[in-house]
Amino acid sequence: MHGIIFVLFSKFVREKHDMKTLFKIQEEAGLKFKIHEVNKSHPDEEIVALLQASCKILKVELTDLLESFGYYIAPELLKTYKSYLNPEWKSLDLLEHIEETMHRVVRSNTPDADPPKLEISRISKDQVRIIYTSPRKIISLGVGIIKAIGDNYQEKLKIEQIDIEDGTQLDIFLM
Ligand code: HEM
């Protein structure tokens, strides 16, 4: 997983809780002395260990943790990848272009990073469909990101989530 996700995860725990809680989580995950460099890719097992340790220590469900983490990282991701955003886009236009802009740039800049495969279609002016297939199965992170994108553009989005054969389908409606 891309180093930016690790760096933002530490920041997320520090801001929502404190440094002591972060140390506890790192210790529980067996990663007390590990430094995750931002521009490199790191083993997926390490983010999984940090997430599991967080659920245990903070006594939260993984789905809820992922969603609030996704909501937290979206503004940072948007800032980092600002130059790839068309200023005329609103929420659904941005979502429609995530795969061929943001995730493509992540793939070419950090070859070991492997953002999920998103099949995106613009069903109508007011609806985008995202089909997510990834062995990591952490779509709740994406749900949090989408909610934050809506808030960023001050638009109300409704998200319908259904499990399909190899993954998850999200239908996002502009309300
Ligand atoms: C704001 C634009 C976005 C940027 C800059 C961005 C960037 C990234 C980056 C850097 C990663 C880590 C990839 C890796 O290390 O392999 C990632 C992972 C991920 N992204 Fe995006 N992303 C964006 C929007 C979205 C959206 C809208 C979704 C909604 C489905 C999404 C879903 C995910 C998920 C679920 C992961 C976790 C990895 C996985 O499940 O395989 N992202 N993204």
Side-chain angles (χ1 to χ4, degrees):
M1 182 76 77
H2 199 294
I4 194 169
I5 304 289
F6 287 87
V7 170
L8 292 175
F9 185 76
S10 298
K11 204 164 160 236
F12 169 72
V13 176
R14 279 198 321 269
E15 280 180 21
K16 302 267 171 203
H17 302 276
D18 50 28
M19 201 65 198
K20 214 170 123 203
T21 310
L22 177 63
F23 286 147
K24 259 202 235 165
I25 290 171
Q26 288 170 333
E27 188 162 19
E28 173 73 27
L31 294 167
K32 201 173 169 190
F33 301 107
K34 178 83 196 249
I35 291 167
H36 292 102
E37 282 179 59
V38 70
N39 284 321
K40 286 197 178 150
S41 184
H42 306 279
D44 275 2
E45 298 74 45
E46 296 186 353
I47 197 77
V48 171
L50 287 167
L51 289 167
Q52 283 172 347
S54 307
C55 288
K56 189 171 162 196
I57 286 167
L58 304 173
K59 299 188 176 46
V60 290
E61 294 292 326
L62 182 60
T63 314
D64 296 336
L65 177 73
L66 282 169
E67 193 176 314
S68 51
F69 180 46
Y71 189 88
Y72 175 84
I73 64 174
E76 300 273 353
L77 291 176
L78 289 173
K79 227 191 295 163
T80 309
Y81 292 85
K82 194 167 180 263
S83 53
Y84 301 97
L85 301 177
N86 181 330
E88 292 183 354
W89 285 346
K90 301 282 270 171
S91 316
L92 294 191
D93 309 313
L94 169 60
L95 291 175
E96 186 185 343
H97 293 99
I98 291 288
E99 191 56 28
E100 92 249 7
T101 50
M102 268 59 79
H103 279 181
R104 186 179 61 79
V105 174
V106 171
R107 280 194 197 93
S108 60
N109 287 359
T110 316
D112 289 339
D114 185 21
K117 189 167 156 287
L118 301 177
E119 240 176 73
I120 306 179
S121 27
R122 184 76 181 244
I123 306 287
S124 72
K125 190 168 81 44
D126 296 335
Q127 184 186 356
V128 166
R129 175 168 293 161
I130 298 182
I131 296 182
Y132 166 87
T133 40
S134 163
R136 293 163 176 157
K137 298 192 170 39
I138 50 173
I139 186 57
S140 304
L141 184 81
V143 171
I145 295 177
I146 293 168
K147 288 187 175 171
I149 288 175
D151 286 352
N152 180 66
Y153 288 97
Q154 293 167 339
E155 290 184 321
K156 193 166 164 34
L157 303 180
K158 185 175 91 176
I159 304 172
E160 284 177 4
Q161 176 173 343
I162 50 167
D163 290 333
I164 50 167
E165 203 180 318
D166 301 327
T168 309
Q169 176 177 303
L170 297 179
D171 279 301
I172 302 115
F173 301 89
L174 178 66
M175 301 308 288

